[in-house]
Amino acid sequence: MFDGPEPIYIQIAEYLRREVLSEALGPGDQVMSTTQFATSYRINPATAAKAFTILVDEGVLEKRRGLGMFVTEGARHRLLEQRRAAFFTDRLDPVLAEARSLGLDPQTLIDHIRKGGAP
């Protein structure tokens, strides 16, 4: 499952973010423990714990002492806001810069978007 080029803890964190974004995991849902995660996916528990730490720092998960890890209220909203901001800075801004360098005016871009992009 986690065979991408990124470190496994990054892939685990991204997997859990996608689960929250798709609403497969909702606010208050418990996620597997690091031990369960490690056993299920045959990884080191420290690797799973590192992914969980990232998600706690991001406010996606919270630790409940003696109970485990849970999805926080508003986690999906926070992730959507982060992804939307990243979409503009990481993807759209370079496209707009390229469009300007090609001499494409904004209306041409708007028309293309309204048509739904490439056929």
Side-chain angles (χ1 to χ4, degrees):
M1 175 171 198
F2 301 111
D3 55 359
E6 301 89 12
I8 292 173
Y9 71 94
I10 297 291
Q11 294 179 60
I12 293 169
E14 185 56 27
Y15 165 76
L16 290 170
R17 287 185 198 105
R18 284 194 308 267
E19 290 288 293
V20 172
L21 284 167
S22 71
E23 300 182 281
L25 288 172
D29 285 350
Q30 185 172 16
V31 299
M32 285 192 282
S33 70
T34 56
T35 303
Q36 290 170 322
F37 221 88
T39 302
S40 295
Y41 297 107
R42 297 183 180 177
I43 59 172
N44 187 316
T47 300
K50 193 170 181 179
F52 286 13
T53 297
I54 290 170
L55 295 172
V56 168
D57 291 345
E58 291 177 359
V60 175
L61 298 180
E62 64 183 352
K63 294 178 189 175
R64 295 183 189 166
R65 188 178 300 237
L67 297 175
M69 304 291 280
F70 296 84
V71 177
T72 61
E73 288 290 329
R76 183 172 186 274
H77 177 75
R78 278 190 293 283
L79 287 171
L80 282 173
E81 289 299 316
Q82 290 170 357
R83 298 275 169 125
R84 288 174 181 154
F87 171 79
F88 285 106
T89 58
D90 297 347
R91 296 185 183 172
L92 191 55
D93 288 350
V95 169
L96 294 175
E98 178 72 13
R100 277 191 295 275
S101 72
L102 295 172
L104 296 170
D105 63 83
Q107 191 59 50
T108 302
L109 298 174
I110 292 168
D111 292 345
H112 186 73
I113 291 168
R114 287 199 171 132
K115 287 190 310 190

